[in-house]
Amino acid sequence: MTTQELLHQAKAAKGAIALADSQIKNAALEAMASALERHEAEILSANALDLAAAKGTMSDVMLDRLALSKERIVGMAQGIREVAALPDPIGVVLHRVERPNGVVIEKTTSPMGVIAIIYESRPNVTSDAAALALKAGSACVLRGGKEAHRSASAIVAALREGLSITGLPQSSVVMIEDTSRQSANELMTANGLVDLLIPRGGAGLIRACVDNATVPVIETGTGICHIYVDSAAQPAMALDILENAKCSRPSVCNAAEVCLVDRQVAAEFLPQLKHRLIDQQLSQGQQPVELRLDHEAAQIISGPSAGASDFDTEFLDYILAVRVVDGVDGAVAHITRHSTGHSEAIVTENPEAARQFLAQVDSAAVYWNVSTRFTDGSEFGLGCEMGISTQRLHARGPMGLAELCTYKYIIRGKGQIR
């Protein structure tokens, strides 16, 4: 089926979804979660074919993004159920005013309509996006990358089976069959068919959508996430946070890519960092982190020198760029120049240093003594997420149900005329 035909199907379905009440939507979500679990074998079989085709063309950490397991499918189903358990975001009165003439005006949340998502090699995005769009009263158009197409197609087949059980149109969730650049361009210019486009992937995909789309786009972020170790940091806490932010899952956008260290503690802290991320990782049979050092850090510990682009790169790998800075002012200045606006953290016991950092760093999520790995819809209590927005309008940070809604004014009266 062509991309245009699928888009028209989704548009035709949006009226039924917008009319569905909370009970119907929640029943559909439960049926979708159960269908995922029921079709676990088919989904894993499709994923095995995707992984076999990708081997030799992807790094190990990117293969991890592509890989599914029984546990990950259980997690996907649980994510759908968490969305079902959240309050319905549609029909919420944000503001109400009664005018002197008796007219009642209510600013009320309403569905977007048709939400399209272009994404790359993470098949779990398929179920997250479908669940969030449905709960937010919208149809969902999914366009995955070729490397995960078999996996995503198997997931969508299960989700659509769940939809049909509860009587909602299967075209509430559609998967674009064409994985060429042409289909992406069609989504970017599908005026009248797509009400909101969300790209999830690398910098090239996101930039292409922002530059070329004629439909509304929410810019999701590449994550050049920084962790600044202040002179008043507890070293043990800083090491725990850095290890978690870099090593727990380096292929995701909330992983740390840059460590900034206050000059006052660099001579003491950097050897501890090298021991934790390199020596200790090796001794435990785990992947060590390559520390790419600026000139000053290289005078303290040994390691490869940071290149001209290393502080502007989302590595998505076991690589961490390291720079020595002059206090909070130096950290803020570096982040202002190099950040993608995703997530930044300060580790310090000095409340005034934290206050300055939190106030001056202009990113979607700014942390004090917390790993950047928490920038996630589930961790923020939003259920699963549609992505992390790094723009300022209309959504910022993890995009949950509220960010997938628009609003309209509903006005009630008794025959008033102006």
Side-chain angles (χ1 to χ4, degrees):
M1 195 172 293
T2 69
T3 299
Q4 288 297 312
E5 288 170 335
L6 290 167
L7 287 172
H8 280 283
Q9 282 192 7
K11 182 177 180 179
K14 75 178 187 179
I17 312 167
L19 196 59
D21 61 21
S22 300
Q23 186 176 356
I24 292 173
K25 290 190 289 188
N26 290 341
L29 289 166
E30 174 56 40
M32 290 159 67
S34 296
L36 274 184
E37 294 168 333
R38 197 163 52 247
H39 291 283
E40 173 192 301
E42 295 98 309
I43 294 168
L44 290 177
S45 177
N47 186 244
L49 293 174
D50 283 335
L51 285 169
K55 281 182 180 174
T57 65
M58 281 187 177
S59 66
D60 288 343
V61 292
M62 295 307 287
L63 285 171
D64 178 65
R65 287 177 71 138
L66 175 59
L68 291 175
S69 63
K70 180 176 181 178
E71 292 72 25
R72 286 187 179 178
I73 292 174
V74 169
M76 289 159 59
Q78 179 59 28
I80 295 176
R81 293 188 173 106
E82 288 174 0
V83 171
L86 293 171
D88 195 325
I90 300 302
V92 177
V93 177
L94 302 173
H95 180 69
R96 182 183 188 277
V97 61
E98 184 170 348
R99 301 295 296 153
N101 62 0
V103 169
V104 176
I105 304 169
E106 292 179 339
K107 182 180 180 181
T108 307
T109 57
S110 62
M112 285 287 181
V114 175
I115 300 174
I117 304 95
I118 302 177
Y119 58 107
E120 292 176 337
S121 59
R122 293 180 67 181
N124 64 295
V125 172
T126 307
S127 60
D128 290 354
L132 286 165
L134 179 66
K135 182 80 178 211
S138 289
C140 180
V141 177
L142 298 156
R143 192 277 191 187
K146 64 180 183 297
E147 65 283 343
H149 189 68
R150 298 178 188 87
S151 306
S153 296
I155 292 166
V156 167
L159 298 177
R160 286 165 64 97
E161 178 183 292
L163 280 169
S164 65
I165 290 171
T166 49
L168 286 177
Q170 286 195 340
S171 51
S172 303
V173 178
V174 299
M175 183 91 194
I176 301 298
E177 298 168 10
D178 177 13
T179 59
S180 71
R181 187 171 296 178
Q182 173 61 28
S183 67
N185 290 335
E186 286 186 70
L187 289 182
M188 293 180 208
T189 56
N191 298 73
L193 295 172
V194 169
D195 297 295
L196 177 65
L197 175 63
I198 302 172
R200 284 192 63 170
L205 168 64
I206 293 164
R207 179 49 48 197
C209 289
V210 171
D211 289 347
N212 299 311
T214 58
V215 300
V217 176
I218 291 182
E219 182 175 357
T220 61
T222 51
I224 301 179
C225 302
H226 298 75
I227 294 179
Y228 164 59
V229 181
D230 185 53
S231 61
Q234 290 186 17
M237 178 191 292
L239 292 169
D240 287 345
I241 288 173
L242 277 158
E243 181 181 9
N244 176 261
K246 181 72 266 183
C247 300
S248 62
R249 201 169 180 196
S251 63
V252 294
C253 64
N254 56 22
E257 304 290 17
V258 178
C259 175
L260 304 173
V261 182
D262 190 323
R263 182 170 287 112
Q264 293 185 43
V265 295
E268 176 185 355
F269 182 76
L270 287 175
Q272 296 178 59
L273 180 69
K274 180 176 182 292
H275 176 75
R276 174 67 75 92
L277 297 188
I278 298 178
D279 304 336
Q280 189 170 301
Q281 290 285 105
L282 284 168
S283 69
Q284 295 174 351
Q286 297 174 348
Q287 176 72 41
V289 177
E290 179 183 319
L291 302 179
R292 296 189 180 175
L293 311 172
D294 80 335
H295 176 74
E296 193 166 345
Q299 306 305 305
I300 301 170
I301 58 174
S302 60
S305 297
S309 63
D310 282 332
F311 291 101
D312 297 295
T313 298
E314 185 183 30
F315 298 113
L316 301 175
D317 206 342
Y318 288 92
I319 301 170
L320 185 69
V322 180
R323 171 163 284 171
V324 176
V325 296
D326 190 13
V328 181
D329 288 339
V332 171
H334 175 96
I335 292 168
T336 300
R337 287 194 304 272
H338 299 280
S339 172
T340 54
H342 194 293
S343 302
E344 330 295 349
I346 180 174
V347 185
T348 186
E349 297 301 305
N350 182 344
E352 180 55 33
R355 187 196 69 80
Q356 179 185 347
F357 187 92
L358 298 177
Q360 291 186 332
V361 171
D362 187 21
S363 292
V366 190
Y367 293 87
W368 177 12
N369 291 345
V370 187
S371 168
T372 58
R373 287 280 285 112
F374 282 94
T375 306
D376 176 83
S378 179
E379 295 292 342
F380 279 23
L382 304 175
C384 48
E385 73 188 29
M386 192 68 85
I388 309 293
S389 169
T390 55
Q391 64 184 40
R392 292 169 179 80
L393 296 173
H394 78 282
R396 198 177 197 194
M399 289 184 288
L401 292 173
E403 290 72 31
L404 298 180
C405 299
T406 184
Y407 60 83
K408 60 186 174 186
Y409 289 93
I410 296 177
I411 302 93
R412 296 180 176 88
K414 296 180 179 178
Q416 291 91 335
I417 61 173
R418 181 175 177 180

